[in-house]
Amino acid sequence: MLKWIVPWEFSWVLLACFVTTCVLYLRGSRRLPVAFGRKLAFWAGMAIIYLSLHTYLDYYAEHEFFMHRIQQLLLHHIAPLLIVTAYPATVLRAGLPLAWRVRLLLPLQRSWPWRAVGGVLLNPTVATLLFVAFILVWLIPSMQTLAMLDWRIYRFMNWSMLVSGFAYWSLVLDHRPHPPGRMTAGLRVLSPAVTMTPQIIAGAIVTFSKSDLYPIFEICGRAFTFNVLTGQLIGGVIIWVPSALVESIGGLMALRLWRGCRATAGCRAAAAPAFAAACGGDRRDRAGLNFAAAQWPAACGMAP
């Protein structure tokens, strides 16, 4: 049992990032009320990242093509989707000591390097292109060979999949309207349909190929003994079907968020007259504000 927990290739960087994130989330969740579903999504995503990169499962990802595709699916699609669904930014920020937030985090967020990197990575066009490009680039046989022969390129490949996944899903599942959200609501819903298309095509090419596209796994030594083309076929199907399914789920979640934003906007518009009348033009009128709050469910067509 211990064999499966011990890292195949130990990484201080990964361990430090993982432990720091977990500690901040634990501290933040004690200071802020966080729904159980959000906690479950966050910890499930973090567990997937750790299991994929820092346990013996990484050995199989380096020695069998279809296991490698499972690892990339987890890092690029499922783990970022789960963590972004938990909306952990506020909780992680609350986990920092107040002095660190004021003296370190706030100046960092206002610095031009931070704004420049965020502006590029979270640009909808750039994030979408990188999300697709990193999948296709690492499927090129020569690039796959380089990644498997050089541990530095291999780690860059895994981190590129993880970071591009976080950047993309944070845009698609942004619950804010546009602006300040970077993507329009319609584009959030349609974007997964666009990004899944080249993945489906690439998966079909790998699935129906009659030759071994990735002989590097033969050179490294395969983890299983069944037919090479069978493993490649399974890997192609993983690129094709589960990836498209996860992106379809992401699109449906974006659609649900869009409908929720529209319903909220309608509620606000409907409650505005009652709010204004109750406040009598003075927002400092506490009694008026309380009365307006009582009218909100009725204005929205909900039971008080």
Side-chain angles (χ1 to χ4, degrees), residues 7 52 60 69 80 82 84 88 107 125 127 139 144 169 172 193 219 226 239 245 253-254 291 293:
S52 299
Y60 290 96
R69 295 320 309 169
L82 285 170
V84 169
T125 302
L139 279 175
Q144 185 76 77
W169 289 119
V172 172
I219 297 172
F226 53 73
I239 302 169
L245 179 60
M253 293 172 68
F291 177 77

Side-chain angles (χ1 to χ4, degrees), residues 65 68-69 72 132-149 153 157 161 198 202-203 205-206 212-217 232 239:
F65 176 70
H68 175 68
R69 295 320 309 169
Q72 299 303 293
V132 177
F134 279 128
I135 294 177
L136 301 181
V137 165
W138 298 118
L139 279 175
I140 299 173
S142 58
M143 295 299 295
Q144 185 76 77
T145 299
L146 284 175
M148 291 301 165
L149 293 178
I153 300 177
M157 173 184 65
M161 298 292 279
I205 292 173
V206 174
D212 184 9
L213 298 177
Y214 305 99
I216 183 61
F217 289 97
Q232 185 170 281
I239 302 169

Side-chain angles (χ1 to χ4, degrees), residues 149-302:
L149 293 178
D150 191 324
W151 66 269
R152 291 161 296 188
I153 300 177
Y154 178 77
R155 290 189 178 179
F156 173 76
M157 173 184 65
N158 289 334
W159 279 103
S160 68
M161 298 292 279
L162 191 60
V163 171
S164 63
F166 274 118
Y168 178 73
W169 289 119
S170 66
L171 293 174
V172 172
L173 298 181
D174 192 344
H175 61 281
R176 302 172 300 171
H178 173 76
R182 296 173 183 262
M183 263 189 182
T184 62
L187 187 57
R188 296 173 198 171
V189 177
L190 295 177
S191 180
V194 175
T195 56
M196 78 170 67
T197 303
Q199 297 177 66
I200 291 174
I201 296 173
I205 292 173
V206 174
T207 299
F208 296 114
S209 176
K210 299 300 181 182
S211 60
D212 184 9
L213 298 177
Y214 305 99
I216 183 61
F217 289 97
E218 192 71 39
I219 297 172
C220 293
R222 297 186 180 274
F224 303 107
T225 57
F226 53 73
N227 185 272
V228 171
L229 294 182
T230 301
Q232 185 170 281
L233 183 147
I234 297 173
V237 171
I238 292 170
I239 302 169
W240 183 351
V241 180
S243 298
L245 179 60
V246 173
E247 293 198 40
S248 298
I249 293 172
L252 292 174
M253 293 172 68
L255 178 61
R256 181 174 178 271
L257 289 172
W258 183 18
R259 294 182 62 183
C261 285
R262 293 180 64 183
T264 301
C267 289
R268 288 174 178 170
F275 185 87
C279 292
D282 185 359
R283 288 180 176 269
R284 293 171 296 179
D285 184 353
R286 291 280 182 176
L289 287 173
N290 291 335
F291 177 77
Q295 306 310 308
W296 183 277
C300 295
M302 299 180 290

